[in-house]
Amino acid sequence: MDELNLKGSWNELKGKLKQKYADLTDDDLLYEEGREDELYGRLQNRIGKSREAIREEVRSLQRDNF
């Protein structure tokens, strides 16, 4: 599994995810470098999508930023 480059653009991505999924909290979106699996696990529980679906959505949001 390739690692996504979340550092740097995470605040923008977090804002977009909160817009799309209004029930997400700041705790759900807490990102710590090197702990991406925990982030994806929290999002998986809250959103109800598979880990790969969430990763693809984050990739899509990253592409939209550039």
Side-chain angles (χ1 to χ4, degrees):
M1 218 187 269
D2 62 314
E3 293 301 319
L4 297 173
N5 182 16
L6 296 177
K7 189 177 178 180
S9 63
W10 179 242
N11 285 332
E12 286 181 49
L13 292 171
K14 181 169 68 168
K16 288 184 177 191
L17 285 168
K18 284 176 100 173
Q19 286 176 349
K20 187 166 185 174
Y21 302 102
D23 59 334
L24 289 177
T25 66
D26 286 334
D27 287 340
D28 294 331
L29 295 167
L30 181 64
Y31 168 68
E32 295 178 35
E33 190 172 357
R35 301 182 92 174
E36 290 87 0
D37 284 339
E38 289 179 23
L39 171 66
Y40 288 120
R42 286 192 304 272
L43 292 176
Q44 203 173 358
N45 286 334
R46 294 287 283 172
I47 296 172
K49 292 185 176 183
S50 72
R51 182 174 298 244
E52 189 53 42
I54 293 168
R55 289 175 59 84
E56 186 55 42
E57 191 161 351
V58 170
R59 281 188 194 107
S60 175
L61 290 172
Q62 282 182 316
R63 284 190 297 266
D64 292 346
N65 280 341
F66 301 107

